[in-house]
Amino acid sequence: MNNYLFYRYSISLLLLVAVAICLLQIASPLSLSAQWQLVTEMQIQDVDQVLYLYGYLPRIVMAFMVGGALALVGSLLQQLTQNYLLSPMTLGLSSGAWLALVSLSIWAPSLVATHGHWFAMLGATLSTLLVMLIAGRQGLGGLPVVLAGMAINILLASIANALLLTHDQYAKNLFIWGAGDLSQNDWSNVLNLAPAMLIVPILLLLSPRILTLLKIGEGIASGRGLNLLPVMIGLLSLSIYLVAHAVTLVGVLGFVGLIAPNIARYLGARKALDQLCYSFLMGALVLMGADMIALYAGQLMQVLVPTGTTVAILGAPLLIYLSRKKFTANDQQSLSIPLGIKQLSPFIWLSLLLLTGLLLLISLTLSPSLQGWQFTIPDALTWSFRWPRVFTSLFAGAAMALSGMILQRLIANPLASPDILGISAGATFALVSVTLITGISIFEVGALTAFIGSMITLAILILLSKKQRFAPSVVIMIGISLGALIDALVAFSLISGSDDIYPVLGWLSGSTYRVSSEKTWLLIILFCVLFTACLALQRSLTLLSAGDDIAQARGLATNKARLILLSLAALLCASVTAVLGPLAFIGLLAPHMAVMLGARKVVNQLVLCCLIGGALMVLADWLGRVTFYPMQLPAGTVASVLGGSYFVFLLLKGRLSN
């Protein structure tokens, strides 16, 4: 065993040195002998030598330090909770720190260099506390904490995007930073991170005994005098401080803290100290390797490839693998949401119809101007611009709500929706890829491309989760992984795009700004056809919701019916994505709100969730137009903030009620 330990560390260290040498060879035109001579003699004579000493060497050191720190924190979190899917990313640490830094960069940019890490620590602490409050103590060991972290990540990212869209002069640099960039201009960032790295030996000294006792069992740990709450608070505080420093200097590199500890365990690290030390080494190796790939790809394509993009591309498949390995068909552990009232009343129908009509009236007639608020019937020119936006929002929200309702009933998963399962991401990936490859405007690509992307994603999802019989945990984790891949593509587009890519970025926020009347009519017609088809198939959806055995006993061809309904859900999502862009939370939230209002039967829920989804999107579009007048926020961004906030509120309410 000791020999294996020695060989494992020796080979890993040699591999780390080899990766560092390869990275320097890719980055710098200097030969190895010239590099060695420059380091030993420190005689600078040309620009390449300056770049080597003050650009590439600190970049490698930063990759080693940040990768090791994130992996160490990831290993610590996973051992504390015995949850191998936990990391600074899934716990919400990174997104909280990122939002705090975006806010500070916009409103107090002079404080970023001197006090940025303290604000990042505050944001990371608040987001982590919120995730833990939603998941609860028992939820830290399974899926609930990952789902809570996912919801918080989407919400905080939406708020950060809203801030960037209203302060676009900061957008380019902040997008590069947020994508995870290791580029260095001197040794200042390394020197800034060095004091925080003193936490590493402190964690290595204090935590192994605690983690060993926790692994044996909380009861035994308490019997040995270990008070769990203060210990977790202390270790989490040190971890948050370390992650906040890293995010402040290089941006978000979330998957490192997930990948490295699992690689360490796979290669034989079992004891607490061994897992921590070897995870640190694997984290440095993973990040340096990802940075090497990013540099090489950037040279081939003549663009800047963020290191965070390559980390996400490496990490998402591992997350899929871990999800399929960890969770089974019997794993139904999830988050609780309040059920609401039991019976749908005519008063609710009337109230929702009146509310939707009122929102349409306000959106069409009430708007700010240079003279103040005006409530007027729009003239012909204003009407020609305004009605496509309003009615596109209405039918887009209804379509996403209907798609989410079908998915939730078919998969028997209350947290299923087109955005969480990756179906929206598949449509987005197809549209963005065609735009980047062919140069065709994303507004002209069409719904067919989006539908193909959605169906391919849906097929992958079904294929990967079929073995576990579509267990909610597996389906959701695979969807989150696919979404992470799309985020990596989007981040790459943000960094590498020329001027013609910025309309794509506006579209990615779910904007109604460029919607034409022709596309509005197309969306309305598609929705009406698909809505009618769903009504015709309501018996099939009811039987499939009850289970395949009951459905087959009633004579239903379950496979055929499921394929048709899944295709309808994908087509609804693709239609919206092609016209408006990806929308988050509407497909998740509207079906739940319908159930909370008493819509238990399929037909009632089908109609009611469409009304709710449409009303939410009309409200989001109007708020996006008037809140920061004369500036505008995309309806999708506003809907994500509103829907995400309410969804988090529901999760908190469900958690506290239990």
Side-chain angles (χ1 to χ4, degrees):
M1 184 64 182
N2 290 333
N3 288 337
Y4 175 72
L5 194 68
F6 172 77
Y7 287 127
R8 171 154 54 84
Y9 276 92
S10 299
I11 293 172
S12 299
L13 287 170
L14 289 174
L15 187 59
L16 189 69
V17 173
V19 169
I21 293 173
C22 290
L23 199 157
L24 288 173
Q25 287 297 100
I26 292 172
S28 175
L30 299 176
S31 64
L32 278 176
S33 58
Q35 293 175 23
W36 177 254
Q37 184 179 2
L38 180 62
V39 172
T40 54
E41 298 180 4
M42 296 297 291
Q43 294 182 358
I44 301 175
Q45 297 177 347
D46 56 37
V47 175
D48 289 334
Q49 292 177 338
V50 173
L51 289 174
Y52 179 84
L53 282 178
Y54 296 100
Y56 305 133
L57 278 183
R59 181 176 184 134
I60 286 183
V61 176
M62 183 62 74
F64 176 83
M65 295 167 68
V66 171
L70 292 176
L72 177 67
V73 171
S75 178
L76 180 64
L77 293 173
Q78 290 176 17
Q79 291 187 71
L80 273 175
T81 60
Q82 295 300 302
N83 185 350
Y84 297 159
L85 293 175
L86 212 57
S87 71
M89 177 189 70
T90 53
L91 195 57
L93 277 168
S94 300
S95 58
W98 165 238
L99 176 58
L101 289 170
V102 168
S103 304
L104 189 65
S105 299
I106 291 173
W107 289 309
S110 61
L111 296 178
V112 173
T114 55
H115 298 85
H117 59 283
W118 291 111
F119 283 89
M121 184 177 178
L122 176 62
T125 302
L126 293 176
S127 61
T128 302
L129 289 175
L130 188 56
V131 170
M132 295 179 71
L133 181 61
I134 293 172
R137 177 66 186 92
Q138 299 302 319
L140 291 178
L143 183 64
V145 68
V146 180
L147 295 177
M150 174 271 303
I152 295 300
N153 284 334
I154 295 176
L155 173 60
L156 298 185
S158 299
I159 297 173
N161 287 337
L163 291 174
L164 290 175
L165 288 168
T166 55
H167 300 81
D168 56 357
Q169 67 271 30
Y170 300 96
K172 184 72 175 181
N173 291 333
L174 286 174
F175 275 132
I176 295 174
W177 183 21
D181 182 40
L182 288 170
S183 299
Q184 304 295 315
N185 297 319
D186 52 35
W187 289 89
S188 59
N189 284 341
V190 174
L191 296 177
N192 286 335
L193 184 59
M197 293 298 292
L198 294 175
I199 290 177
V200 171
I202 295 175
L203 290 175
L204 293 177
L205 285 173
L206 296 180
S207 57
R209 178 179 176 273
I210 297 169
L211 296 175
T212 302
L213 290 174
L214 285 175
K215 190 174 182 179
I216 297 173
E218 291 185 20
I220 296 176
S222 300
R224 295 289 183 91
L226 179 63
N227 194 338
L228 186 59
L229 184 60
V231 167
M232 288 194 69
I233 292 175
L235 293 178
L236 272 176
S237 299
L238 293 174
S239 300
I240 289 172
Y241 182 77
L242 192 55
V243 171
H245 259 282
V247 172
T248 303
L249 296 174
V250 300
V252 180
L253 296 164
F255 270 108
V256 175
L258 174 68
I259 299 172
N262 282 283
I263 294 176
R265 274 188 299 273
Y266 181 79
L267 293 177
R270 293 293 180 267
K271 294 183 179 180
L273 181 60
D274 188 19
Q275 286 192 47
L276 293 173
C277 293
Y278 201 56
S279 293
F280 184 96
L281 188 58
M282 287 296 100
L285 184 59
V286 165
L287 190 53
M288 289 171 65
D291 194 39
M292 180 180 68
I293 295 172
L295 279 174
Y296 184 68
Q299 290 181 3
L300 286 179
M301 295 184 289
Q302 297 297 308
V303 294
L304 173 64
V305 179
T307 307
T309 300
T310 54
V311 170
I313 292 172
L314 293 172
L318 177 64
L319 185 56
I320 292 174
Y321 169 77
L322 292 173
S323 303
R324 298 182 73 217
K325 183 178 179 181
K326 178 177 174 61
F327 297 116
T328 66
N330 296 322
D331 191 344
Q332 301 293 323
Q333 191 181 27
S334 188
L335 295 170
S336 58
I337 296 176
L339 292 177
I341 60 179
K342 294 183 179 180
Q343 189 172 359
L344 183 62
S345 66
F347 174 76
I348 291 175
W349 282 112
L350 181 61
S351 299
L352 266 177
L353 287 170
L354 290 175
L355 177 62
T356 304
L358 180 62
L359 286 172
L360 285 172
L361 178 64
I362 290 174
S363 187
L364 289 169
T365 59
L366 181 63
S367 61
S369 67
L370 296 177
Q371 290 76 35
W373 285 89
Q374 292 184 346
F375 188 85
T376 58
I377 297 175
D379 55 33
L381 180 62
T382 305
W383 174 260
S384 67
F385 286 111
R386 191 170 292 175
W387 84 261
R389 296 187 61 168
V390 174
F391 284 92
T392 295
S393 300
L394 176 68
F395 285 93
M400 291 299 289
L402 182 56
S403 179
M405 177 257 186
I406 293 172
L407 292 171
Q408 288 177 13
R409 282 190 170 266
L410 282 182
I411 303 176
N413 187 341
L415 293 175
S417 70
D419 47 314
I420 290 180
L421 297 186
I423 297 174
S424 292
T428 303
F429 180 81
L431 290 165
V432 173
S433 298
V434 170
T435 298
L436 293 177
I437 293 171
T438 65
I440 301 174
S441 171
I442 199 164
F443 303 99
E444 299 174 1
V445 175
L448 179 60
T449 302
F451 177 65
I452 293 172
S454 295
M455 288 303 295
I456 291 174
T457 306
L458 192 58
I460 294 172
L461 188 68
I462 292 172
L463 181 65
L464 292 175
S465 57
K466 186 176 181 180
K467 183 179 179 181
Q468 286 78 14
R469 289 182 290 169
F470 307 105
S473 51
V474 177
V475 172
I476 288 175
M477 291 307 301
I478 292 173
I480 292 173
S481 305
L482 294 173
L485 282 174
I486 301 304
D487 288 340
L489 174 67
V490 172
F492 174 70
S493 302
L494 288 167
I495 306 307
S496 63
S498 55
D499 291 340
D500 60 350
I501 201 67
Y502 286 97
V504 177
L505 305 181
W507 172 86
L508 286 168
S509 301
S511 175
T512 58
Y513 182 72
R514 291 173 177 256
V515 173
S516 63
S517 58
E518 291 81 7
K519 288 195 173 183
T520 302
W521 280 116
L522 176 63
L523 180 61
I524 292 172
I525 293 170
L526 280 173
F527 172 78
C528 291
V529 171
L530 296 172
F531 180 80
T532 304
C534 291
L535 283 177
L537 293 169
Q538 57 91 12
R539 177 179 177 273
S540 299
L541 188 56
T542 301
L543 291 175
L544 287 171
S545 302
D548 282 6
D549 293 338
I550 295 176
Q552 289 171 358
R554 296 295 181 91
L556 182 68
T558 54
N559 291 335
K560 182 180 178 181
R562 181 176 285 107
L563 179 61
I564 293 173
L565 285 166
L566 286 174
S567 299
L568 287 175
L571 190 53
L572 283 162
C573 174
S575 302
V576 174
T577 306
V579 173
L580 193 65
L583 298 178
F585 282 115
I586 298 296
L588 173 66
L589 193 59
H592 278 297
M593 294 179 71
V595 172
M596 291 173 64
L597 291 174
R600 300 290 198 271
K601 295 182 179 180
V602 167
V603 175
N604 289 339
Q605 188 186 13
L606 190 149
V607 178
L608 200 63
C609 76
C610 289
L611 277 174
I612 294 171
L616 286 173
M617 276 303 298
V618 170
L619 176 62
D621 181 61
W622 182 74
L623 289 175
R625 283 192 282 121
V626 305
T627 303
F628 296 100
Y629 180 84
M631 299 176 63
Q632 296 190 24
L633 282 176
T637 299
V638 179
S640 296
V641 174
L642 292 177
S645 301
Y646 186 64
F647 183 64
V648 169
F649 167 75
L650 289 180
L651 294 178
L652 281 171
K653 186 177 180 181
R655 163 66 185 152
L656 295 176
S657 65
N658 290 331

